[in-house]
Amino acid sequence: GKMGFVENTFFFLRMPTALGKRGIAFYEKGEIKKAIECFTLAIQVVPDWAYAYAYRGFLYGEQDAHDNAISDYAKAIEYQEDYDYAHIKRGESYFTKGDFENALKDCNEAVRIDSDNPRYFFARGNVLLNLENFEDAISNYDQSIAIAPDADVHDHRGRANWLLGNLELAMNDFDK
């Protein structure tokens, strides 16, 4: 039958969450366009839902549509200023586009918000490496490794040391 006001309201309030879950399910099945449609609908229902913008931004990034991703991450940050995930992902999109200055700003924000996340130091190290700021890149890789040792981080730190001419340090990292 016909839903009453209470049932209708309850359905409306649950709809964005359901759409988000459907979007994630579509993504996991590799159906990114359908996943984007789900998050677009969720945003139409709840226009200030930072999570929906961030997830849709992630999906756009998966399609190499980095301008769309950057725009969605900016919206997520507008609605939730200290959204470290949105900052780091927008930084990754800027990085992919070769905009290292904006990538660095977002990595700095992510580290400011959560200084215990090794991935944020690793990402910032990669940006600094591309800006040829090898000492600061190494410092960020050091911080990442101190939080959680990781072979990828050792490889990148080794590369930075190699480029600085610290061949022995580089070889130690490459052996990790």
Side-chain angles (χ1 to χ4, degrees):
K2 206 171 162 190
M3 285 196 290
F5 175 76
V6 173
E7 293 87 0
N8 224 348
T9 303
F10 186 68
F11 175 77
F12 181 78
L13 292 174
R14 286 186 44 222
M15 194 168 69
T17 306
L19 286 166
K21 287 178 180 173
R22 276 188 74 191
I24 292 168
F26 278 126
Y27 166 69
E28 288 172 350
K29 290 189 339 192
E31 297 182 48
I32 293 178
K33 281 190 170 69
K34 285 184 178 179
I36 289 172
E37 288 170 16
C38 287
F39 282 102
T40 300
L41 280 171
I43 289 165
Q44 288 169 357
V45 176
V46 184
D48 62 350
W49 192 17
Y51 172 83
Y53 281 106
Y55 209 102
R56 191 175 69 175
F58 163 75
L59 294 167
Y60 282 133
E62 291 287 291
Q63 292 190 312
D64 288 326
H66 291 287
D67 290 330
N68 289 346
I70 288 166
S71 173
D72 271 1
Y73 292 133
K75 276 291 201 191
I77 292 163
E78 178 185 325
Y79 294 121
Q80 189 178 326
E81 197 176 313
D82 278 355
Y83 199 166
D84 52 331
Y85 174 82
H87 279 288
I88 203 68
K89 294 302 288 183
R90 184 173 69 177
E92 289 174 7
S93 282
Y94 278 131
F95 181 90
T96 301
K97 290 180 53 135
D99 183 348
F100 302 126
E101 295 300 328
N102 277 316
L104 184 58
K105 287 177 191 171
D106 273 324
C107 289
N108 288 339
E109 272 302 293
V111 167
R112 183 190 64 74
I113 295 163
D114 181 2
S115 60
D116 292 324
N117 191 321
R119 190 168 154 254
Y120 297 170
F121 288 104
F122 180 54
R124 187 165 68 178
N126 291 340
V127 174
L128 291 162
L129 187 64
N130 275 274
L131 289 169
E132 297 184 6
N133 186 341
F134 304 125
E135 288 89 355
D136 286 345
I138 290 167
S139 171
N140 276 271
Y141 295 142
D142 289 345
Q143 288 176 281
S144 180
I145 289 167
I147 297 166
D150 182 289
D152 273 351
V153 183
H154 279 284
D155 285 345
H156 283 76
R157 186 174 69 181
R159 184 168 167 234
N161 272 310
W162 185 271
L163 292 167
L164 277 173
N166 301 331
L167 305 188
E168 195 172 323
L169 288 172
M171 293 312 289
N172 285 338
D173 268 328
F174 293 144
D175 289 339
K176 298 270 187 231

